[in-house]
Amino acid sequence: MANEGKTYLTFHRAFTAASTATFTDKEGVVRPLIRVSIPSGTVLGGRDIGGASFLARYAYQSRYNENDVAFSFLPEQAVALSIPERDEEGNVTGYESLKVAAEALKVAVDAERRAWREAHPAPAKEKPTIEQESVDMLDELDAMERMDADGGIGGAFGEGASERDPLEV
């Protein structure tokens, strides 16, 4: 898919959910809108907009991470955020509507994601260790095969390697 000047916002699927609001697509099918929550700590214009949300018609699974959901916006398209207003006790008392440029929101979300990853580094993956016994066993089998080929073991007892029963020791 070509970029064509579009802005792509990507969120982990945990920040997306089907909304109760619906729309009718081009084929006449009624579909739910997708509600996207902005992660806490996202700062836009000096203001923390974490907990805000927006509605989108279509979402696409990210081609880079199966757990991410991507949303595309045209350059002239604004994102309508719904920001919860809270009282002193933290209860939601209403919602403020704010339209922001998709590119500005992308920059803010990407900065929050980088900050979160720096604060929560991924654990180092342990490399599997190769046990020495398995290597020694292979060396012993290899040496026995060479001795059989040279007539070492079988030749000492008067029978060739092809005449011995492989199950007898």
Side-chain angles (χ1 to χ4, degrees):
M1 176 178 358
N3 189 352
E4 301 174 12
K6 293 180 183 177
T7 299
Y8 293 91
L9 295 173
T10 306
F11 296 88
H12 189 276
R13 66 181 178 192
F15 290 96
T16 63
S19 172
T20 56
T22 60
F23 74 100
T24 304
D25 67 8
K26 293 177 184 177
E27 290 82 31
V29 177
V30 176
R31 298 183 184 271
L33 290 168
I34 302 159
R35 185 179 59 80
V36 181
S37 298
I38 306 296
S40 62
T42 304
V43 178
L44 182 66
R47 178 179 178 188
D48 186 353
I49 59 167
S53 61
F54 67 89
L55 296 174
R57 285 186 173 202
Y58 301 104
Y60 313 94
Q61 181 177 350
S62 171
R63 67 175 102 178
Y64 305 108
N65 184 342
E66 66 184 22
N67 292 319
D68 286 346
V69 180
F71 302 89
S72 62
F73 296 91
L74 297 172
E76 65 277 358
Q77 191 175 7
V79 180
L81 292 179
S82 178
I83 304 172
E85 295 175 341
R86 301 183 184 275
D87 61 13
E88 299 84 29
E89 297 163 359
N91 300 320
V92 176
T93 59
Y95 292 91
E96 174 189 355
S97 294
L98 178 66
K99 288 193 175 192
V100 297
E103 186 61 35
L105 184 57
K106 176 183 176 41
V107 169
V109 169
D110 288 349
E112 184 279 329
R113 185 177 292 129
R114 273 191 303 279
W116 188 89
R117 285 185 179 149
E118 288 173 6
H120 302 87
K125 293 182 181 179
E126 293 185 26
K127 293 182 180 178
T129 58
I130 298 174
E131 294 187 24
Q132 189 63 34
E133 290 109 19
S134 63
V135 173
D136 290 342
M137 179 65 118
L138 291 175
D139 288 342
E140 289 176 21
L141 290 172
D142 188 39
M144 289 176 67
E145 287 175 358
R146 276 194 237 136
M147 288 177 67
D148 281 345
D150 294 339
I153 295 177
F157 296 104
E159 50 185 30
S162 61
E163 298 172 358
R164 285 189 327 194
D165 184 359
L167 299 177
E168 290 182 11
V169 181

